[in-house]
Amino acid sequence: MKKIEAVIRHFKLEDVKNALTEQGIQGMTITEVRGFGRQKGHTEMYRGTEYTVDFVPKVKIEVVVPDGQLHNVVDTIMRVAQTGQIGDGKIFVIDLANTIRIRTGETGEDAL
Amino acid sequence: MSFYQAGKWLLLASILAFHVSPTTARAQDSAPKLGMNAGTSSSATTTPGDVATASANYTVPAYLQKQVGNAALAGHNAWMLVSSALVLLMTAPGLALFYGGLVRKKNVLGVMMQCFFLMGLNSVIWALWGYSLAFGGDPRSKNFNPWIGNGDYLCMHGVERTWNVGTNQAETPMFAGYPGSIDPIPRLTHMLFQGMFFIITPALICGAFAERMKFSTMVVFTILWGTLIYCPLAHWVWWGGVLQYGSAHLPGWAAGGALDFAGGTVVHISSGISALVCALLIGRRLGYGSEPMPPHNLTYTVVGAALLWIGWFGFNAGSELQSDAIASSAFAATHFAAAAGAITWAAMEWFIRGKPSVLGACSGAVAGLVCITPASGFVNPMPAIAMGIAGGVVCFTACTGFKSKFRYDDSLDAFGVHGVGGTLGALLTGVFATRAVTDANHGQPLGLLEGGSLLRGQIVAVLATWVFAIVGTFAILKILDALMGLRVTQQQELQGLDVSQHGEEGYIFI
């Protein structure tokens, strides 16, 4: 099993969710996050006073998949969330030790 | 009387009043004015020959005069009551949202409370003694005091409706107006309209000490400032006092006195300069210059600015104190100046910084409105656009340039917009005021552009207001600082005024 954490643009969330649902993904977790990558932040100006905003708002999707689905899911997120502009985000893939469904006690891929 | 009947009488009266001899017309108080206006349209349905025959040797009966007078009063009074409500709209929600959006999240209730609380506090002060100190006394009397009003209207005496046992009728005192060309409206209406100005003026100052002043001290400061600074100034400029153009009580040093249609000196210079004194004496906010302090909700600010723009029509066009052609002119001037100010400030940012900001457009509109306020009833639309542009350029420079150069913390630019914009507007009134709009100088030139000498009086009034506001506010603040302290503690300031002063939070999401 792998855990995929994808940090993407807000307006791409709906498209990515729909695309992953079509892939058979049954659950995901969404978090509002702030951060920066190579593009850094941006400056804002209020009546002549400049403020540098270091952390840019993004949305993080966490989804756990069987090893066999990893490639397709990563590929889907890449394809759907991409605009080609700087600031499209990143995908992190993490080896997962176990998953447990609290209601039934199922473990591993059965719990996904 | 039905609406139809009233309209019939009005039409008849207008035909007659338009053609009566000039002597008869001038003998009436309000009837001729309405008749003159309505007569223009009525002549379309009646041939001049018919009317000339019918009106020869005819004197308007008293009951007809009364009907026309009542109709005129109804129009004037309706407009003035609407204007009064529009001016109140400027304080809350207008100013409360405008300022509320500009502060940090932890202080949004604090600044809104200052605006809202002052609507209550200043209304009561106005009813108890404020109106009397500002508008008490008869300027035509020899014993008139040109520096301060008197006790004529204390606790609304002589303002409220009363039951006359002698005549067995209810009576409403009327406002005859000064210098004398204004149709009477109920004194209650005049009191209400002016009271709304008394509310918003101290509220404007709150922008300078936002996010750090003790609420209790703010309350006492407002009572003292309103009584000792605002009321005398209103008396000097608007009630035959030492600075009013054409006043019989003008001292030599006043250089002929100043025109201030809706409060350039009384409202904006006085509050703006006092705001600067407050900002300097209270000191900068903790972390000013090192921590970011951006506005927490500019959407509030945009809505607030839009409400200010709307309310300002009551502020300026209502200052004619009747519903006539000058009110229309003031309305137009106000609108064009706001429009020009909005695009000018945004355009300057676009040119200098690369982007036209929303806050810039809002600030520019307010700067244009402030700038046109003293001149609104004295200038035509094109000079009003010029004044709006000037307001945008100068206030932009004050807010973005002076403030960072001299490093005072006028949190929400009360001085940069109202002090600077008000001063500019008062001076430009001396340039652009024209006899085409106002007969203040009995048909003689007024502003510099048409060869008049009004500008000298405007300069003197500006200087007098600056000195009075600086000295008065400084003294009040020094006394209050010694007695109760001006500023919240560091811990309270870090916590935010919402919780530390009011025990509430602006945003609770559950």
Side-chain angles (χ1 to χ4, degrees):
Chain A
M1 282 181 301
K2 304 288 185 202
K3 181 181 182 192
I4 300 168
E5 289 185 0
V7 178
I8 63 167
R9 297 178 190 271
H10 274 85
F11 76 95
K12 285 291 185 185
L13 175 62
E14 195 63 23
D15 292 344
V16 171
K17 188 203 80 176
N18 290 338
L20 291 183
T21 309
E22 282 172 19
Q23 293 266 328
I25 298 297
Q26 296 182 5
M28 63 183 71
T29 306
I30 304 298
T31 320
E32 299 273 352
V33 293
R34 298 161 75 82
F36 64 86
R38 283 188 199 168
Q39 91 276 21
K40 301 296 182 216
H42 60 265
T43 54
E44 293 178 8
M45 180 87 68
Y46 300 100
R47 278 193 184 144
T49 309
E50 265 190 30
Y51 298 98
T52 303
V53 178
D54 294 326
F55 300 105
V56 183
K58 298 279 178 194
V59 63
K60 184 170 79 173
I61 301 173
E62 293 172 78
V63 57
V64 178
V65 297
D67 291 339
Q69 258 188 309
L70 177 66
H71 179 74
N72 280 345
V73 169
V74 169
D75 201 46
T76 303
I77 296 174
M78 277 277 292
R79 181 170 45 80
V80 177
Q82 196 176 69
T83 68
Q85 302 296 311
I86 197 159
D88 272 350
K90 282 199 171 53
I91 298 172
F92 308 104
V93 179
I94 305 157
D95 278 327
L96 204 62
N98 203 356
T99 304
I100 302 139
R101 178 172 279 121
I102 294 173
R103 175 170 59 87
T104 58
E106 291 164 286
T107 58
E109 291 186 6
D110 292 340
L112 293 180
Chain B
M1 173 176 285
S2 72
F3 184 77
Y4 172 72
Q5 282 175 309
K8 200 170 66 178
W9 281 119
L10 199 60
L11 183 64
L12 178 60
S14 64
I15 294 167
L16 294 172
F18 185 62
H19 293 281
V20 289
S21 69
T23 316
T24 316
R26 273 199 297 276
Q28 317 308 321
D29 197 359
S30 54
K33 181 164 279 187
L34 187 68
M36 288 290 278
N37 296 336
T40 313
S41 57
S42 64
S43 61
T45 55
T46 321
T47 63
D50 292 345
V51 177
T53 312
S55 61
N57 304 319
Y58 187 84
T59 307
V60 179
Y63 72 91
L64 207 53
Q65 293 170 21
K66 192 167 189 311
Q67 292 295 342
V68 176
N70 286 345
L73 168 62
H76 296 322
N77 200 37
W79 165 239
M80 290 313 300
L81 289 174
V82 169
S83 289
S84 304
L86 284 171
V87 181
L88 187 65
L89 183 87
M90 292 170 68
T91 304
L95 195 68
L97 282 168
F98 187 72
Y99 278 176
L102 288 175
V103 294
R104 286 168 291 175
K105 195 165 63 175
K106 61 186 177 182
N107 294 315
V108 60
L109 288 185
V111 79
M112 284 187 163
M113 177 64 166
Q114 287 173 346
C115 293
F116 200 84
F117 190 84
L118 292 189
M119 285 170 49
L121 178 69
N122 282 8
S123 299
V124 174
I125 297 171
W126 194 243
L128 294 178
W129 66 78
Y131 183 66
S132 200
L133 289 185
F135 293 96
D138 182 356
R140 288 158 293 197
S141 156
K142 277 188 178 174
N143 299 325
F144 177 72
N145 184 341
W147 294 95
I148 188 74
N150 59 20
D152 281 357
Y153 307 120
L154 281 179
C155 299
M156 293 289 96
H157 174 73
V159 180
E160 62 202 346
R161 267 172 79 84
T162 48
W163 180 257
N164 187 326
V165 179
T167 61
N168 211 27
Q169 281 185 326
E171 290 174 354
T172 306
M174 300 300 278
F175 172 78
Y178 179 81
S181 61
I182 295 169
D183 288 342
I185 52 175
R187 187 165 281 283
L188 271 167
T189 304
H190 181 255
M191 178 276 297
L192 284 168
F193 182 71
Q194 294 295 344
M196 303 313 177
F197 283 61
F198 186 65
I199 289 169
I200 194 169
T201 309
L204 295 171
I205 305 176
C206 295
F209 52 63
E211 305 197 292
R212 59 201 187 281
M213 189 163 188
K214 275 171 77 171
F215 187 73
S216 54
T217 311
M218 191 280 301
V219 170
V220 182
F221 170 76
T222 300
I223 297 172
L224 294 175
W225 191 90
T227 307
L228 302 174
I229 309 286
Y230 184 89
C231 289
L233 264 177
H235 193 78
W236 296 359
V237 179
W238 283 336
W239 200 238
V242 291
L243 290 178
Q244 181 169 350
Y245 191 82
S247 165
H249 307 278
L250 270 178
W253 54 262
L259 286 175
D260 182 3
F261 193 72
T265 39
V266 181
V267 176
H268 296 294
I269 298 182
S270 71
S271 63
I273 303 309
S274 300
L276 180 64
V277 175
C278 288
L280 292 172
L281 282 190
I282 291 175
R284 297 191 287 243
R285 285 167 290 180
L286 287 176
Y288 180 76
S290 55
E291 281 176 27
M293 296 179 181
H296 91 282
N297 191 340
L298 277 185
T299 52
Y300 286 174
T301 301
V302 178
V303 175
L307 286 167
L308 282 171
W309 189 332
I310 294 165
W312 226 292
F313 292 133
F315 197 89
N316 284 2
S319 287
E320 170 62 359
L321 298 180
Q322 54 184 339
S323 175
D324 65 3
I326 294 181
S328 300
S329 180
F331 201 119
T334 303
H335 187 55
F336 288 131
I343 59 173
T344 301
W345 191 308
M348 287 191 68
E349 285 181 330
W350 211 343
F351 185 68
I352 296 171
R353 318 262 186 205
K355 286 178 182 168
S357 79
V358 179
L359 177 57
C362 293
S363 309
V366 176
L369 288 162
V370 168
C371 191
I372 197 63
T373 293
S376 50
F378 310 127
V379 301
N380 271 319
M382 288 304 113
I385 288 182
M387 289 183 73
I389 292 171
V393 171
V394 174
C395 293
F396 171 82
T397 310
C399 293
T400 59
F402 298 167
K403 197 166 79 160
S404 55
K405 187 171 181 187
F406 297 107
R407 291 185 59 77
Y408 56 88
D409 184 12
D410 174 10
S411 319
L412 313 181
D413 292 315
F415 169 70
V417 173
H418 297 279
V420 174
T423 301
L424 178 71
L427 296 177
L428 290 180
T429 303
V431 176
F432 292 120
T434 171
R435 57 190 156 175
V437 180
T438 177
D439 58 355
N441 197 17
H442 311 293
Q444 298 305 306
L446 272 170
L448 202 61
L449 271 190
E450 60 180 19
S453 59
L454 173 66
L455 184 59
R456 284 184 303 162
Q458 298 294 122
I459 293 171
V460 171
V462 165
L463 290 174
T465 311
W466 270 69
V467 171
F468 184 54
I470 289 173
V471 173
T473 307
F474 185 84
I476 292 170
L477 286 177
K478 277 293 179 191
I479 292 168
L480 289 183
D481 193 18
L483 292 179
M484 54 197 302
L486 300 177
R487 190 164 175 155
V488 295
T489 63
Q490 282 199 1
Q491 189 185 347
Q492 289 173 330
E493 192 174 332
L494 291 172
Q495 189 181 23
L497 300 191
D498 295 5
V499 172
S500 72
Q501 302 296 293
H502 308 291
E504 295 166 293
E505 285 183 65
Y507 302 94
I508 302 171
F509 299 112
I510 50 173

